[in-house]
Amino acid sequence: MQFTRPIFVRVIRVLDWPTYDGWLWLDGYELSAKGAAVARRSLFVMSAGLIWPDTLVRAARPSRTPARRGPVTPDSRVG
């Protein structure tokens, strides 16, 4: 085990290097608690052990209300 605690990584690409079945090389940036990139890393990982946070990211972001759309009238222009 390489890390004593889980790390969050922004994956740039999955490298096409030969490896064992079920394992892969990832290239990406380790993220801080605030989401800033702090170190570039190439990681050899077991694909079954990865947690892809796409559902977590969507849940953490506030939902946006879509902009109102309609015809532009002289009264609705700004400025």
Side-chain angles (χ1 to χ4, degrees):
M1 181 146 192
Q2 184 176 2
F3 302 102
T4 57
R5 61 175 177 75
I7 64 171
F8 291 96
V9 177
R10 180 180 303 131
V11 176
I12 300 170
R13 64 181 167 236
V14 177
L15 300 168
D16 190 22
W17 294 349
T19 184
Y20 301 102
D21 189 35
W23 292 77
L24 43 99
W25 281 96
L26 300 177
D27 204 12
Y29 293 96
E30 181 179 354
L31 302 177
S32 69
K34 293 184 178 182
V38 294
R40 181 145 184 194
R41 295 188 179 268
S42 291
L43 302 166
F44 185 58
V45 298
M46 181 182 279
S47 58
L50 296 175
I51 300 171
W52 297 94
D54 59 334
T55 54
L56 299 174
V57 171
R58 273 190 245 124
R61 289 184 184 158
S63 61
R64 296 183 187 174
T65 305
R68 283 184 39 200
R69 304 208 184 254
V72 177
T73 62
D75 297 339
S76 64
R77 290 187 210 165
V78 177

Coordinates of all heavy atoms in Angstrom, one line a residue:
M1 N 0.9 -1.2 0.0 CA 0.0 0.0 0.0 C 0.9 1.2 0.0 O 1.7 1.4 0.9 CB -0.9 0.0 1.2 CG -1.8 1.1 1.3 SD -3.3 0.4 2.0 CE -4.4 1.8 1.7
Q2 N 0.6 2.1 -0.9 CA 1.5 3.3 -1.1 C 1.1 4.4 -0.2 O 2.0 5.2 0.3 CB 1.5 3.7 -2.5 CG 2.4 4.9 -2.8 CD 2.5 5.2 -4.3 OE1 1.7 4.6 -5.1 NE2 3.3 6.1 -4.7
F3 N -0.2 4.6 0.1 CA -0.7 5.7 0.8 C -1.3 5.3 2.1 O -2.0 4.3 2.2 CB -1.7 6.6 0.0 CG -1.1 7.1 -1.3 CD1 -1.4 6.4 -2.5 CD2 -0.2 8.1 -1.3 CE1 -0.9 6.9 -3.7 CE2 0.3 8.6 -2.5 CZ 0.0 7.9 -3.7
T4 N -1.1 6.0 3.2 CA -1.7 5.7 4.5 C -3.1 6.2 4.6 O -3.9 5.8 5.4 CB -0.8 6.2 5.6 OG1 -0.7 7.6 5.5 CG2 0.5 5.6 5.7
R5 N -3.4 7.2 3.8 CA -4.8 7.7 3.7 C -5.2 7.9 2.2 O -4.3 8.1 1.4 CB -4.9 9.0 4.5 CG -4.0 10.1 3.9 CD -4.1 11.5 4.5 NE -3.2 12.4 4.0 CZ -3.3 13.0 2.8 NH1 -4.3 12.8 2.0 NH2 -2.4 13.8 2.4
P6 N -6.5 7.9 1.9 CA -6.9 8.0 0.5 C -6.5 9.4 0.0 O -6.4 10.4 0.8 CB -8.4 7.9 0.6 CG -8.7 7.3 1.9 CD -7.6 7.6 2.8
I7 N -6.2 9.5 -1.2 CA -5.9 10.8 -1.9 C -6.9 11.1 -3.0 O -7.5 10.1 -3.5 CB -4.5 11.0 -2.4 CG1 -4.2 10.0 -3.5 CG2 -3.5 10.8 -1.3 CD1 -2.9 10.2 -4.2
F8 N -7.2 12.3 -3.3 CA -8.1 12.7 -4.4 C -7.2 13.1 -5.5 O -6.2 13.9 -5.3 CB -9.0 13.8 -4.0 CG -10.0 13.4 -3.0 CD1 -9.8 13.6 -1.6 CD2 -11.2 12.7 -3.4 CE1 -10.8 13.2 -0.7 CE2 -12.1 12.3 -2.5 CZ -11.9 12.6 -1.1
V9 N -7.5 12.6 -6.7 CA -6.7 12.9 -7.9 C -7.6 13.3 -9.0 O -8.6 12.7 -9.3 CB -5.9 11.6 -8.3 CG1 -5.1 11.9 -9.5 CG2 -5.0 11.2 -7.2
R10 N -7.1 14.4 -9.7 CA -7.8 14.8 -10.9 C -7.1 14.0 -12.0 O -5.9 14.3 -12.3 CB -7.7 16.3 -11.2 CG -8.4 16.7 -12.5 CD -8.3 18.2 -12.7 NE -8.8 19.0 -11.6 CZ -8.2 20.0 -10.9 NH1 -7.0 20.3 -11.3 NH2 -8.7 20.6 -9.9
V11 N -7.8 13.1 -12.6 CA -7.1 12.2 -13.7 C -7.0 13.0 -15.0 O -8.0 13.5 -15.5 CB -7.9 10.9 -13.8 CG1 -7.3 10.1 -15.0 CG2 -7.9 10.1 -12.5
I12 N -5.8 13.0 -15.5 CA -5.6 13.7 -16.8 C -5.8 12.6 -17.9 O -6.5 12.9 -18.9 CB -4.2 14.2 -16.9 CG1 -3.9 15.3 -15.8 CG2 -3.9 14.8 -18.3 CD1 -2.5 15.6 -15.7
R13 N -5.3 11.4 -17.7 CA -5.4 10.4 -18.7 C -5.1 9.0 -18.1 O -4.4 8.9 -17.1 CB -4.5 10.6 -19.9 CG -3.0 10.6 -19.5 CD -2.2 10.8 -20.7 NE -0.8 11.1 -20.2 CZ -0.1 12.1 -20.5 NH1 -0.6 13.1 -21.3 NH2 1.1 12.3 -20.0
V14 N -5.6 8.0 -18.7 CA -5.3 6.6 -18.4 C -4.2 6.2 -19.3 O -4.4 6.3 -20.6 CB -6.5 5.7 -18.5 CG1 -6.1 4.3 -18.2 CG2 -7.6 6.1 -17.5
L15 N -3.0 5.9 -18.8 CA -1.9 5.6 -19.7 C -2.0 4.2 -20.3 O -2.5 3.3 -19.6 CB -0.6 5.7 -18.9 CG -0.3 7.1 -18.2 CD1 0.8 7.0 -17.2 CD2 0.0 8.1 -19.3
D16 N -1.6 4.1 -21.5 CA -1.7 2.8 -22.2 C -0.4 2.0 -22.1 O 0.2 1.6 -23.1 CB -2.0 3.1 -23.7 CG -2.4 1.8 -24.4 OD1 -2.9 0.9 -23.8 OD2 -2.3 1.8 -25.7
W17 N 0.0 1.7 -20.8 CA 1.2 1.0 -20.6 C 0.8 -0.4 -20.2 O -0.2 -0.7 -19.6 CB 2.0 1.6 -19.4 CG 2.5 3.0 -19.7 CD1 2.6 3.6 -20.9 CD2 3.1 3.9 -18.7 NE1 3.1 4.9 -20.7 CE2 3.5 5.0 -19.4 CE3 3.3 3.8 -17.4 CZ2 4.0 6.1 -18.8 CZ3 3.9 4.9 -16.7 CH2 4.3 6.0 -17.4
P18 N 1.6 -1.4 -20.6 CA 1.3 -2.8 -20.3 C 1.3 -3.0 -18.8 O 2.2 -2.5 -18.1 CB 2.4 -3.6 -21.0 CG 3.4 -2.7 -21.4 CD 2.9 -1.3 -21.4
T19 N 0.4 -3.8 -18.3 CA 0.3 -4.0 -16.9 C -0.5 -5.3 -16.6 O -0.9 -6.0 -17.5 CB -0.4 -2.8 -16.2 OG1 -0.4 -3.0 -14.8 CG2 -1.8 -2.6 -16.7
Y20 N -0.7 -5.6 -15.4 CA -1.4 -6.8 -15.0 C -2.9 -6.6 -15.2 O -3.4 -5.5 -15.2 CB -1.2 -7.2 -13.5 CG 0.3 -7.5 -13.2 CD1 1.1 -6.5 -12.6 CD2 0.9 -8.7 -13.6 CE1 2.4 -6.7 -12.3 CE2 2.2 -8.9 -13.3 CZ 3.0 -7.9 -12.7 OH 4.3 -8.2 -12.4
D21 N -3.6 -7.7 -15.4 CA -5.1 -7.6 -15.6 C -5.7 -7.0 -14.3 O -5.4 -7.4 -13.2 CB -5.6 -9.0 -15.8 CG -7.1 -9.0 -16.2 OD1 -7.5 -8.1 -16.9 OD2 -7.8 -9.9 -15.8
G22 N -6.6 -6.0 -14.5 CA -7.2 -5.4 -13.4 C -6.5 -4.2 -12.8 O -7.0 -3.5 -11.9
W23 N -5.3 -3.9 -13.3 CA -4.5 -2.8 -12.9 C -4.3 -1.8 -14.0 O -4.4 -2.1 -15.2 CB -3.1 -3.3 -12.4 CG -3.2 -4.1 -11.1 CD1 -3.6 -5.4 -11.0 CD2 -2.9 -3.6 -9.8 NE1 -3.5 -5.8 -9.7 CE2 -3.1 -4.7 -9.0 CE3 -2.4 -2.4 -9.3 CZ2 -2.8 -4.6 -7.6 CZ3 -2.2 -2.3 -7.9 CH2 -2.4 -3.4 -7.1
L24 N -4.1 -0.5 -13.7 CA -3.8 0.5 -14.7 C -3.0 1.6 -14.2 O -2.9 1.8 -13.0 CB -5.1 1.0 -15.3 CG -6.3 1.3 -14.4 CD1 -6.4 2.8 -14.1 CD2 -7.5 0.9 -15.2
W25 N -2.3 2.3 -15.1 CA -1.6 3.5 -14.8 C -2.4 4.7 -15.0 O -3.0 4.9 -16.1 CB -0.3 3.6 -15.6 CG 0.8 2.7 -15.2 CD1 1.1 1.4 -15.6 CD2 1.8 3.0 -14.2 NE1 2.2 1.0 -14.9 CE2 2.6 1.9 -14.0 CE3 2.0 4.1 -13.3 CZ2 3.7 1.9 -13.1 CZ3 3.0 4.1 -12.4 CH2 3.9 3.0 -12.3
L26 N -2.5 5.6 -14.1 CA -3.2 6.9 -14.2 C -2.2 8.0 -14.1 O -1.2 8.0 -13.4 CB -4.2 7.1 -13.1 CG -5.3 6.1 -13.0 CD1 -6.2 6.4 -11.8 CD2 -6.1 6.0 -14.2
D27 N -2.4 9.1 -14.9 CA -1.6 10.3 -14.8 C -2.5 11.4 -14.4 O -3.6 11.6 -14.9 CB -1.0 10.6 -16.2 CG 0.2 11.5 -16.2 OD1 0.8 11.6 -15.1 OD2 0.6 11.9 -17.3
G28 N -2.1 12.2 -13.3 CA -3.0 13.2 -12.8 C -2.4 14.1 -11.8 O -1.2 14.0 -11.6
Y29 N -3.2 14.9 -11.1 CA -2.8 15.8 -10.1 C -3.5 15.4 -8.8 O -4.7 15.3 -8.7 CB -3.2 17.2 -10.5 CG -2.5 17.8 -11.6 CD1 -3.0 17.8 -12.9 CD2 -1.2 18.3 -11.5 CE1 -2.3 18.3 -14.0 CE2 -0.5 18.8 -12.6 CZ -1.1 18.8 -13.8 OH -0.4 19.3 -14.9
E30 N -2.7 15.4 -7.7 CA -3.2 15.2 -6.4 C -3.9 16.5 -6.0 O -3.4 17.6 -6.2 CB -2.1 14.8 -5.4 CG -2.7 14.6 -4.0 CD -1.6 14.2 -3.0 OE1 -0.4 14.0 -3.4 OE2 -1.9 14.2 -1.8
L31 N -5.1 16.4 -5.4 CA -5.8 17.6 -5.0 C -5.8 17.9 -3.5 O -5.8 16.9 -2.7 CB -7.3 17.5 -5.5 CG -7.5 17.3 -6.9 CD1 -9.0 17.1 -7.2 CD2 -6.9 18.4 -7.8
S32 N -5.7 19.1 -3.1 CA -5.8 19.5 -1.7 C -7.3 19.4 -1.3 O -8.2 19.2 -2.1 CB -5.3 20.9 -1.5 OG -6.2 21.9 -2.1
A33 N -7.5 19.7 0.0 CA -8.9 19.7 0.5 C -9.8 20.7 -0.1 O -11.0 20.6 -0.2 CB -8.9 19.9 2.0
K34 N -9.2 21.8 -0.6 CA -9.9 22.8 -1.3 C -10.0 22.6 -2.8 O -10.6 23.4 -3.5 CB -9.2 24.2 -1.1 CG -9.3 24.6 0.3 CD -8.7 26.0 0.5 CE -8.8 26.5 2.0 NZ -8.3 27.8 2.2
G35 N -9.5 21.5 -3.3 CA -9.6 21.1 -4.7 C -8.5 21.7 -5.6 O -8.6 21.6 -6.8
A36 N -7.4 22.3 -5.0 CA -6.3 22.8 -5.8 C -5.3 21.7 -6.1 O -5.0 20.9 -5.2 CB -5.7 23.9 -5.0
A37 N -4.7 21.7 -7.2 CA -3.7 20.7 -7.6 C -2.4 21.1 -6.8 O -1.9 22.2 -6.8 CB -3.4 20.8 -9.1
V38 N -1.9 20.0 -6.1 CA -0.7 20.3 -5.3 C 0.5 19.5 -5.8 O 1.6 19.8 -5.4 CB -1.0 20.0 -3.8 CG1 -1.9 21.0 -3.2 CG2 -1.5 18.6 -3.5
A39 N 0.3 18.4 -6.5 CA 1.4 17.5 -7.0 C 1.0 16.7 -8.2 O -0.2 16.2 -8.2 CB 1.9 16.6 -5.9
R40 N 1.8 16.6 -9.2 CA 1.5 15.8 -10.3 C 2.0 14.4 -10.0 O 3.1 14.2 -9.4 CB 2.3 16.3 -11.6 CG 2.0 15.4 -12.8 CD 1.9 16.2 -14.0 NE 1.5 15.3 -15.1 CZ 1.6 15.7 -16.3 NH1 2.1 16.9 -16.6 NH2 1.2 14.9 -17.3
R41 N 1.2 13.4 -10.3 CA 1.5 12.0 -10.0 C 1.1 11.0 -11.1 O 0.2 11.3 -11.9 CB 0.7 11.5 -8.8 CG 1.0 12.3 -7.5 CD 0.3 11.6 -6.3 NE 0.7 12.3 -5.1 CZ 1.7 11.9 -4.3 NH1 2.4 10.9 -4.6 NH2 1.9 12.5 -3.2
S42 N 1.9 10.0 -11.2 CA 1.6 8.8 -12.1 C 1.4 7.7 -11.1 O 2.2 7.4 -10.3 CB 2.7 8.5 -13.0 OG 2.9 9.5 -14.0
L43 N 0.2 7.1 -11.1 CA -0.2 6.1 -10.1 C -0.5 4.8 -10.8 O -1.2 4.7 -11.8 CB -1.5 6.6 -9.4 CG -1.4 8.0 -8.7 CD1 -2.8 8.5 -8.3 CD2 -0.5 7.8 -7.5
F44 N 0.0 3.7 -10.2 CA -0.3 2.4 -10.6 C -1.4 1.9 -9.6 O -1.1 1.7 -8.4 CB 1.0 1.5 -10.4 CG 0.8 0.1 -10.9 CD1 0.4 -0.2 -12.2 CD2 1.1 -1.0 -10.1 CE1 0.3 -1.4 -12.7 CE2 1.0 -2.3 -10.6 CZ 0.6 -2.5 -11.9
V45 N -2.6 1.7 -10.1 CA -3.7 1.4 -9.2 C -4.5 0.1 -9.7 O -4.5 -0.2 -10.9 CB -4.7 2.6 -9.2 CG1 -4.0 3.8 -8.6 CG2 -5.3 2.9 -10.6
M46 N -5.2 -0.5 -8.7 CA -6.1 -1.5 -9.0 C -7.4 -0.9 -9.4 O -8.0 -0.1 -8.6 CB -6.3 -2.5 -7.8 CG -7.2 -3.6 -8.1 SD -7.4 -4.7 -6.7 CE -5.9 -5.7 -6.8
S47 N -8.0 -1.1 -10.6 CA -9.2 -0.4 -11.0 C -10.4 -0.7 -10.1 O -11.2 0.2 -9.9 CB -9.5 -0.8 -12.4 OG -9.7 -2.2 -12.6
A48 N -10.4 -1.9 -9.5 CA -11.5 -2.2 -8.6 C -11.5 -1.4 -7.3 O -12.5 -1.2 -6.6 CB -11.5 -3.7 -8.2
G49 N -10.3 -0.8 -6.9 CA -10.2 -0.1 -5.7 C -10.4 1.4 -5.9 O -10.4 2.2 -4.9
L50 N -10.7 1.9 -7.1 CA -10.9 3.3 -7.3 C -12.4 3.7 -7.0 O -13.3 2.9 -7.3 CB -10.6 3.6 -8.8 CG -9.2 3.4 -9.2 CD1 -9.1 3.7 -10.7 CD2 -8.3 4.3 -8.5
I51 N -12.5 4.9 -6.5 CA -13.8 5.5 -6.3 C -13.9 6.7 -7.2 O -13.2 7.7 -7.0 CB -14.1 5.9 -4.8 CG1 -13.9 4.7 -4.0 CG2 -15.4 6.6 -4.7 CD1 -13.9 5.0 -2.5
W52 N -14.7 6.6 -8.2 CA -14.9 7.8 -9.2 C -16.0 8.7 -8.6 O -17.1 8.3 -8.5 CB -15.3 7.3 -10.5 CG -14.2 6.4 -11.1 CD1 -14.2 5.0 -11.1 CD2 -13.1 6.8 -11.8 NE1 -13.0 4.6 -11.7 CE2 -12.3 5.7 -12.2 CE3 -12.6 8.1 -12.2 CZ2 -11.1 5.7 -12.9 CZ3 -11.4 8.1 -12.9 CH2 -10.7 7.0 -13.3
P53 N -15.6 9.9 -8.2 CA -16.5 10.7 -7.4 C -17.5 11.5 -8.3 O -18.0 12.5 -7.8 CB -15.6 11.6 -6.6 CG -14.4 11.8 -7.5 CD -14.3 10.4 -8.2
D54 N -17.8 11.1 -9.5 CA -18.7 11.9 -10.3 C -20.1 12.1 -9.6 O -20.6 13.2 -9.7 CB -18.9 11.3 -11.7 CG -19.4 9.9 -11.7 OD1 -19.3 9.2 -10.7 OD2 -20.1 9.5 -12.7
T55 N -20.6 11.2 -8.9 CA -21.8 11.3 -8.2 C -21.6 12.2 -7.0 O -22.5 13.0 -6.7 CB -22.4 10.0 -7.8 OG1 -21.5 9.3 -7.1 CG2 -22.9 9.2 -9.0
L56 N -20.5 12.1 -6.4 CA -20.2 13.0 -5.2 C -20.0 14.4 -5.6 O -20.5 15.4 -5.0 CB -19.0 12.5 -4.5 CG -19.0 11.1 -3.9 CD1 -17.6 10.8 -3.3 CD2 -20.1 11.0 -2.8
V57 N -19.4 14.7 -6.8 CA -19.2 16.0 -7.2 C -20.5 16.7 -7.6 O -20.8 17.8 -7.2 CB -18.2 16.0 -8.5 CG1 -18.2 17.4 -9.1 CG2 -16.8 15.6 -8.0
R58 N -21.4 16.0 -8.3 CA -22.7 16.5 -8.6 C -23.5 16.8 -7.4 O -24.2 17.8 -7.3 CB -23.4 15.5 -9.5 CG -23.1 15.7 -11.0 CD -24.0 14.9 -11.8 NE -23.2 13.9 -12.5 CZ -23.4 12.6 -12.4 NH1 -24.4 12.1 -11.8 NH2 -22.6 11.8 -13.1
A59 N -23.4 16.0 -6.3 CA -24.2 16.2 -5.1 C -23.6 17.4 -4.3 O -24.3 18.1 -3.7 CB -24.2 15.0 -4.3
A60 N -22.3 17.6 -4.4 CA -21.7 18.7 -3.6 C -21.9 20.1 -4.3 O -21.9 21.1 -3.6 CB -20.2 18.5 -3.5
R61 N -22.1 20.1 -5.6 CA -22.3 21.4 -6.2 C -23.8 21.9 -6.1 O -24.7 21.1 -6.2 CB -22.0 21.3 -7.7 CG -20.6 21.1 -8.0 CD -20.4 21.1 -9.5 NE -19.0 20.8 -9.8 CZ -18.5 20.4 -11.0 NH1 -19.4 20.1 -11.9 NH2 -17.2 20.2 -11.1
P62 N -24.0 23.1 -5.8 CA -25.3 23.6 -5.7 C -26.0 23.6 -7.1 O -25.3 23.8 -8.1 CB -25.2 25.0 -5.2 CG -23.8 25.4 -5.5 CD -23.0 24.2 -5.5
S63 N -27.2 23.2 -7.1 CA -27.9 23.2 -8.4 C -28.2 24.6 -8.8 O -28.5 25.5 -8.0 CB -29.2 22.4 -8.3 OG -30.1 23.0 -7.4
R64 N -28.1 24.8 -10.1 CA -28.3 26.1 -10.7 C -29.7 26.2 -11.3 O -30.2 25.3 -11.9 CB -27.3 26.4 -11.7 CG -25.9 26.5 -11.2 CD -24.9 26.8 -12.3 NE -23.6 26.7 -11.8 CZ -22.5 26.9 -12.6 NH1 -22.7 27.1 -13.9 NH2 -21.3 26.8 -12.1
T65 N -30.3 27.4 -11.1 CA -31.6 27.6 -11.8 C -31.3 28.1 -13.2 O -30.5 29.0 -13.4 CB -32.4 28.7 -11.0 OG1 -32.5 28.3 -9.6 CG2 -33.7 28.9 -11.6
P66 N -31.9 27.4 -14.2 CA -31.6 27.9 -15.5 C -32.1 29.3 -15.8 O -33.0 29.8 -15.2 CB -32.5 26.9 -16.4 CG -32.9 25.8 -15.5 CD -32.8 26.3 -14.1
A67 N -31.4 30.0 -16.6 CA -31.7 31.4 -16.9 C -33.1 31.4 -17.7 O -33.4 30.5 -18.4 CB -30.7 32.0 -17.8
R68 N -33.8 32.4 -17.4 CA -35.1 32.6 -18.1 C -34.8 32.9 -19.6 O -34.0 33.8 -19.9 CB -35.9 33.7 -17.5 CG -36.6 33.3 -16.2 CD -37.5 34.4 -15.6 NE -38.2 35.1 -16.7 CZ -38.7 36.3 -16.5 NH1 -38.6 36.9 -15.4 NH2 -39.4 36.9 -17.5
R69 N -35.5 32.3 -20.4 CA -35.3 32.6 -21.9 C -36.6 33.1 -22.5 O -37.7 32.6 -22.1 CB -34.9 31.3 -22.6 CG -33.6 30.7 -22.0 CD -32.8 30.0 -23.0 NE -31.7 29.4 -22.4 CZ -30.4 29.8 -22.5 NH1 -30.2 30.9 -23.3 NH2 -29.4 29.2 -21.9
G70 N -36.5 34.0 -23.3 CA -37.7 34.5 -24.0 C -37.3 35.6 -25.0 O -36.1 35.9 -25.1
P71 N -38.2 36.2 -25.6 CA -37.9 37.3 -26.6 C -37.3 38.5 -25.9 O -37.6 38.8 -24.7 CB -39.2 37.6 -27.2 CG -40.2 37.2 -26.2 CD -39.6 36.0 -25.5
V72 N -36.4 39.1 -26.6 CA -35.8 40.4 -26.0 C -36.7 41.5 -26.5 O -37.0 41.7 -27.6 CB -34.4 40.5 -26.6 CG1 -33.8 41.9 -26.1 CG2 -33.5 39.4 -26.2
T73 N -37.1 42.3 -25.5 CA -37.9 43.5 -25.8 C -37.1 44.7 -25.3 O -36.2 44.6 -24.5 CB -39.2 43.4 -25.0 OG1 -39.0 43.4 -23.6 CG2 -40.0 42.2 -25.4
P74 N -37.4 45.9 -25.8 CA -36.7 47.1 -25.4 C -36.7 47.3 -23.9 O -35.8 47.8 -23.3 CB -37.4 48.2 -26.2 CG -38.1 47.6 -27.3 CD -38.4 46.2 -26.9
D75 N -37.8 46.9 -23.2 CA -37.9 47.1 -21.8 C -37.0 46.1 -21.0 O -36.7 46.3 -19.9 CB -39.3 46.9 -21.3 CG -40.3 47.9 -21.9 OD1 -39.8 49.0 -22.4 OD2 -41.5 47.7 -22.0
S76 N -36.6 44.9 -21.6 CA -35.9 43.9 -20.9 C -34.4 44.0 -21.0 O -33.6 43.3 -20.4 CB -36.3 42.5 -21.3 OG -36.0 42.3 -22.7
R77 N -33.9 44.9 -21.9 CA -32.5 45.1 -22.1 C -31.9 45.8 -20.9 O -32.5 46.7 -20.3 CB -32.2 45.9 -23.4 CG -32.5 45.1 -24.6 CD -32.0 45.8 -25.8 NE -32.9 45.5 -26.9 CZ -33.0 46.1 -28.0 NH1 -32.3 47.2 -28.2 NH2 -33.8 45.7 -28.9
V78 N -30.6 45.4 -20.6 CA -29.9 46.1 -19.5 C -29.0 47.1 -20.1 O -28.3 46.9 -21.0 CB -29.1 45.0 -18.7 CG1 -28.3 45.7 -17.6 CG2 -30.0 44.0 -18.1
G79 N -29.0 48.3 -19.5 CA -28.0 49.4 -19.9 C -28.6 50.2 -20.9 O -28.3 50.9 -21.7

